[in-house]
């Protein structure tokens, strides 16, 4: 089963350099280098009859940004970690390819081999972390010469070819009580595993890793239907259309407010001639004030005068002339 996605697989090593050369996958780039290492696997008390513990050829590819070509040479002790993959073909023997994320050398003069080797740290098993899919199971826990193991498949990105690369790793479980209650791994189970390399399998020439920790992961759904939101340009949500409008009126011209209001200004009425009461000495004629007079004199609010129950009769201009002739 071939995975459609890639995941990182990380390895941590420390060992001696056998040979230094340019990176053959990046010709013409003088700062791209490759270190050849025979990865030492120290003898441990962990044994399985289908695993052989031997040195593993390893290629460390890195970019020499320090521009010091003599910094790394044969017999230099280096510390390195980064993404890795394994290769095995008819033309090439099994080997590990490490694309270094970081690379440091042990200080000292490597030409003085006796003193330099003495101060270098002891051999240690390389540590790996990777995500794998279970393909098959073998061996038994706490029974027989073959340890319980699972053959896993992992897919990583190969920066040398700029494509994904799939390779197998066999994870072993040490005898004892730690894994006695561990549930068996089903086929196609996705696990995130951390362990130490302790050799190569004899039959298929795969990395043999003794498991230190394992975590279950949900299987990715590669057959889920494509939704419109996952293809094309995502439509932007109009967040402003759902908000409430302003709560206070805006400043509009005065004409827009007064155009629809009723005319309540008493000065806009036609002039009326009020019929005098019996106490009045003469007839009173009222005229509206002009615009200049309204501006000059402040408007004072006065109580509304009491009116008669009967509507006042308007005096015509003929009545005014008749009254004038009568007075004469």
């Amino acid at each position: 089963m071939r995975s459609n996605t890639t995941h990182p697989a990380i390895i941590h090593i420390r060992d001696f350099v056998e040979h230094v050369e340019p990176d053959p996958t990046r010709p013409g780039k003088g700062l791209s280098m490759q270190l050849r290492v025979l990865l030492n696997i120290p003898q441990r008390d962990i044994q399985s009859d289908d695993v052989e513990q031997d040195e593993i050829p390893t290629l460390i590819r890195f970019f020499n940004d320090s521009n010091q070509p003599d910094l790394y040479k044969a017999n230099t002790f280096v510390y390195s970690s980064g993404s890795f993959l394994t290769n095995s073909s008819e033309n090439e023997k099994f080997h590990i390819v490490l694309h270094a994320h970081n690379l440091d050398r042990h200080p000292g003069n490597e030409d003085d081999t006796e003193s330099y080797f003495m101060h270098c740290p002891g051999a240690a098993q390389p540590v790996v972390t990777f995500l794998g899919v279970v393909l098959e199971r073998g061996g038994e826990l706490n029974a027989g010469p073959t340890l319980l193991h699972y053959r896993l498949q992992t897919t990583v990105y190969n920066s040398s070819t700029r494509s994904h690369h799939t390779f197998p790793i066999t994870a072993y479980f040490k005898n004892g009580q730690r894994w006695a209650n561990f549930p068996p791994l089903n086929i196609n189970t996705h696990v995130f595993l951390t362990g130490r390399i302790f050799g190569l399998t004899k039959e298929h020439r795969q990395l043999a890793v003794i498991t230190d920790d394992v975590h279950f992961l949900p299987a990715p759904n590669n057959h889920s239907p494509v939704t419109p939101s996952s293809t094309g340009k995502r439509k932007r949500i109009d967040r402003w259309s759902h908000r409430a409008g302003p709560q206070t009126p805006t400043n509009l011209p005065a004409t827009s407010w007064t155009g629809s209001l009723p005319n309540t200004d008493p000065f806009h009425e036609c002039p009326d001639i009020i019929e005098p009461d019996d106490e009045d000495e003469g007839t009173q004629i009222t005229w509206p004030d002009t615009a200049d007079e309204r501006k000059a004199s402040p408007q004072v609010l006065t109580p509304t005068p009491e009116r008669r129950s009967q509507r006042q009769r308007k005096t015509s201009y003929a009545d005014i002339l008749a009254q004038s002739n009568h007075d004469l």
Side-chain angles (χ1 to χ4, degrees):
M1 180 185 65
R2 191 172 187 175
S3 176
N4 294 326
T5 57
T6 61
H7 302 277
I10 305 299
I11 187 173
H12 301 262
I13 68 171
R14 62 185 195 186
D15 216 315
F16 290 95
V17 176
E18 298 291 331
H19 184 68
V20 182
E21 60 189 7
D23 186 353
T25 62
R26 293 179 173 85
K29 297 183 179 179
L31 298 180
S32 297
M33 303 180 64
Q34 177 175 275
L35 306 180
R36 291 185 178 269
V37 175
L38 288 177
L39 198 60
N40 181 54
I41 305 298
Q43 297 293 327
R44 298 294 181 183
D45 57 348
I46 303 173
Q47 300 290 332
S48 184
D49 64 348
D50 61 338
V51 176
E52 60 180 11
Q53 295 177 325
D54 199 0
E55 294 178 333
I56 303 175
T58 302
L59 304 177
I60 303 177
R61 294 171 180 169
F62 70 103
F63 184 77
N64 188 10
D65 53 359
S66 61
N67 198 16
Q68 299 179 13
D70 297 333
L71 185 62
Y72 302 98
K73 59 180 66 175
N75 295 326
T76 302
F77 191 86
V78 294
Y79 308 84
S80 183
S81 65
S83 59
F84 80 97
L85 54 90
T86 66
N87 261 326
S88 180
S89 63
E90 297 180 357
N91 299 329
E92 293 183 305
K93 294 183 178 180
F94 179 90
H95 63 275
I96 299 174
V97 178
L98 165 58
H99 298 279
H101 297 166
N102 56 72
L103 178 66
D104 297 305
R105 57 159 289 167
H106 191 74
N109 183 11
E110 65 278 356
D111 294 332
D112 185 3
T113 56
E114 183 177 356
S115 176
Y116 188 75
F117 294 167
M118 181 178 63
H119 292 92
C120 288
Q125 291 176 290
V127 178
V128 294
T129 301
F130 64 96
L131 187 147
V133 181
V134 178
L135 299 182
E136 61 182 8
R137 170 181 171 168
E140 294 294 336
L141 183 67
N142 298 327
T146 305
L147 296 179
L148 171 66
H149 61 272
Y150 294 90
R151 188 163 66 92
L152 308 173
Q153 177 180 275
T154 185
T155 302
V156 300
Y157 174 73
N158 186 355
S159 59
S160 298
T161 60
R162 298 182 180 180
S163 61
H164 66 273
H165 180 84
T166 301
F167 61 97
I169 298 178
T170 304
Y172 289 79
F173 290 80
K174 183 180 178 180
N175 290 329
Q177 295 300 317
R178 177 181 180 184
W179 305 105
N181 297 323
F182 185 74
L185 302 180
N186 299 322
I187 304 301
N188 294 330
T189 299
H190 290 65
V191 294
F192 192 74
L193 190 141
T194 301
R196 293 161 289 148
I197 299 175
F198 78 110
L200 294 175
T201 60
K202 296 178 181 180
E203 183 178 358
H204 301 291
R205 306 302 290 174
Q206 302 171 6
L207 281 182
V209 176
I210 192 70
T211 303
D212 289 330
D213 200 4
V214 59
H215 299 276
F216 292 91
L217 297 178
N221 186 9
N222 296 327
H223 303 286
S224 58
V226 179
T227 58
S229 59
S230 61
T231 59
K233 187 176 179 181
R234 186 175 180 180
K235 185 178 180 181
R236 185 174 179 270
I237 301 175
D238 187 5
R239 300 182 181 90
W240 296 101
S241 61
H242 301 287
R243 295 177 178 266
Q247 301 298 324
T248 56
T250 56
N251 295 328
L252 300 177
T255 55
S256 62
W257 286 93
T258 58
S260 59
L261 297 179
N263 186 6
T264 57
D265 190 353
F267 299 104
H268 290 279
E269 296 179 357
C270 296
D272 294 339
I273 300 176
I274 307 300
E275 182 179 358
D277 296 334
D278 297 336
E279 299 84 20
D280 296 340
E281 295 179 357
T283 303
Q284 182 180 4
I285 302 175
T286 59
W287 297 89
D289 295 336
T290 62
D292 295 336
E293 291 175 346
R294 287 198 299 269
K295 293 180 181 179
S297 60
Q299 298 180 3
V300 181
L301 298 177
T302 56
T304 304
E306 183 180 0
R307 295 190 176 186
R308 298 181 182 181
S309 58
Q310 184 179 1
R311 181 179 178 84
Q312 297 179 357
R313 184 177 61 86
K314 294 183 179 180
T315 304
S316 63
Y317 185 71
D319 294 338
I320 295 174
L321 293 178
Q323 183 68 27
S324 298
N325 294 331
H326 177 74
D327 294 336
L328 293 175

